[in-house]
Amino acid sequence: MDRNFENLYIWKESRCLINSIYKMMDRCRDYGFRDQIQRAVVSIMNNIAEGAESGSDAKFINFLNISKGSCGEVRSMLYLCEDLGFCTKEERENLQSQIRKITSGIVKLSDSLSPKNF
């Protein structure tokens, strides 16, 4: 398996997601909220990268699980973004769809690394 995180679809999609979230939150003056969602979305990408570089499948799976948890956090926070007027329902749904694709990719990669598959 290629351990170059830059070649992973889920890492590339996470990078695109970060840009979308940062642009959406650019005018948000609730700095605590903005900081939380931005940190969570960056965590998705960075944990994929850190796991790929960790040196073992078990560690990689652990980092992928952390990344998957961050996906859930961002998906949840997007409901608040809509409720608080930071995005429209359509924007929320589009971003959540992106996150679901990333989550699915994380699960597939994690399953492929799992010892039960050998």
Side-chain angles (χ1 to χ4, degrees):
M1 181 190 138
D2 182 8
R3 289 290 180 142
N4 185 351
F5 65 84
E6 290 100 334
N7 293 332
L8 294 173
Y9 168 82
I10 55 175
W11 184 86
K12 292 175 188 177
E13 287 300 307
S14 299
R15 185 177 173 193
C16 292
L17 178 66
I18 289 167
N19 286 299
S20 297
I21 295 288
Y22 266 73
K23 286 176 188 170
M24 181 182 75
M25 299 306 294
D26 188 48
R27 287 173 270 132
C28 174
R29 297 298 169 234
D30 183 339
Y31 299 110
F33 184 86
R34 184 173 74 182
D35 183 61
Q36 184 65 29
I37 195 168
Q38 288 175 337
R39 285 175 179 266
V41 76
V42 168
S43 175
I44 296 168
M45 185 179 91
N46 284 345
N47 276 294
I48 292 166
E50 191 170 352
E53 299 288 329
S54 68
S56 78
D57 288 349
K59 288 179 183 177
F60 196 178
I61 291 168
N62 185 53
F63 280 105
L64 289 172
N65 285 330
I66 294 167
S67 183
K68 185 174 172 267
S70 295
C71 286
E73 182 178 359
V74 175
R75 254 186 27 243
S76 177
M77 290 190 77
L78 284 168
Y79 287 105
L80 291 173
C81 284
E82 180 188 356
D83 294 346
L84 299 171
F86 301 136
C87 69
T88 65
K89 179 180 180 182
E90 183 180 357
E91 290 169 322
R92 173 190 53 82
E93 288 173 343
N94 288 337
L95 290 168
Q96 287 176 327
S97 177
Q98 279 182 264
I99 297 169
R100 284 186 185 92
K101 288 176 187 173
I102 294 167
T103 301
S104 176
I106 289 170
V107 169
K108 288 175 185 172
L109 178 55
S110 182
D111 286 349
S112 76
L113 296 170
S114 180
K116 66 183 174 207
N117 290 320
F118 295 107

